[in-house]
């Protein structure tokens, strides 16, 4: 296998309520998503990815565990996976990765999803009050984290999950 310093960094960008039809790199000509489009040219762009569930928590648990909700146990929103399920932080952590989740978690228990957490949520905007969710991902906090990681852990590969809830419906 590769030495830890040779392993590629991984960025997984998850965005609530943002469908494939709303992103330029997947063919939308009207909505401008230049940063996502650029990222798509530099990494892996999924062509056949499907949600394992129509709700948030089960979908996230499936992505992080590689298992359908009926297998990992997290089948309903705000429920938890079965103890003993292995997930992204365990698999990549064993390979020397620092596995960090920025902003929205929405999976449990922490023993199954032991991400290092990065507080990267925008402060509330009084002009647009949200009843059931926080603001979106704070890219300044992410930039600061990345600079610190490069300085303090230059040889450690990073898996960074950017969980952005900004497009989520307001309710």
């Amino acid at each position: 296998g590769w030495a830890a310093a040779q392993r590629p960094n991984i960025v997984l960008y998850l965005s609530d309520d943002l469908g494939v039809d709303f992103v330029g790199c997947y063919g939308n000509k009207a909505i401008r998503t230049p940063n996502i489009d650029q990222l798509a040219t530099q990494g892996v762009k999924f062509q056949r990815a499907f949600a394992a569930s129509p709700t948030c928590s089960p979908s996230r648990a499936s992505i992080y565990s590689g298992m359908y909700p009926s297998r990992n146990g997290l089948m309903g929103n705000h429920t938890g996976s079965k103890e003993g399920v292995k997930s992204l932080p365990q698999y990549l952590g064993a390979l020397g990765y620092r596995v960090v989740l920025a902003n929205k978690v929405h999976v449990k228990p922490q023993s199954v999803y032991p991400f290092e957490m990065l507080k990267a949520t925008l402060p509330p905007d009084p002009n647009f009050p949200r009843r059931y969710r926080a603001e979106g991902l704070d890219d300044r906090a992410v930039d600061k984290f990345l600079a610190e990681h490069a300085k303090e852990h230059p040889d450690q590969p990073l898996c960074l999950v950017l969980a952005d809830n900004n497009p989520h419906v307001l309710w």
Side-chain angles (χ1 to χ4, degrees):
W2 291 345
Q6 297 173 317
R7 295 197 169 117
N9 290 322
I10 300 167
V11 176
L12 176 59
Y13 182 79
L14 298 178
S15 188
D16 289 0
D17 295 345
L18 179 67
V20 68
D21 296 335
F22 308 124
V23 184
C25 66
Y26 285 103
N28 189 306
K29 305 278 188 241
I31 299 174
R32 293 174 301 204
T33 55
N35 295 326
I36 293 173
D37 300 346
Q38 183 179 357
L39 184 61
T41 67
Q42 298 171 355
V44 176
K45 186 173 118 183
F46 294 107
Q47 299 292 343
R48 293 177 199 247
F50 302 92
S53 171
T55 53
C56 181
S57 296
S59 291
R60 288 173 191 276
S62 291
I63 291 169
Y64 300 151
S65 71
M67 302 167 82
Y68 284 110
S70 59
R71 299 281 295 162
N72 68 38
L74 201 159
M75 293 187 288
N77 232 8
H78 311 289
T79 65
S81 288
K82 296 183 269 188
E83 287 294 337
V85 169
K86 288 185 78 175
S87 67
L88 193 68
Q90 290 130 336
Y91 287 118
L92 291 181
L95 296 173
Y97 275 82
R98 183 179 185 188
V99 185
V100 179
L101 175 60
N103 195 31
K104 185 174 181 177
V105 181
H106 216 201
V107 289
K108 60 184 177 183
Q110 200 269 337
S111 59
V112 172
Y113 304 99
F115 288 98
E116 177 184 337
M117 295 306 305
L118 172 60
K119 183 166 175 33
T121 304
L122 291 167
D125 182 344
N127 296 316
F128 298 98
R130 313 287 198 239
R131 281 183 53 196
Y132 296 108
R133 71 166 179 93
E135 297 293 332
L137 181 70
D138 183 351
D139 59 351
R140 293 167 298 196
V142 174
D143 288 345
K144 180 180 177 197
F145 166 79
L146 289 171
E148 290 170 357
H149 177 81
K151 182 179 178 184
E152 297 170 12
H153 306 277
D155 295 326
Q156 184 177 21
L158 175 66
C159 173
L160 178 60
V161 179
L162 300 171
D164 191 359
N165 57 325
N166 192 44
H168 195 292
V169 294
L170 297 179
W171 295 346

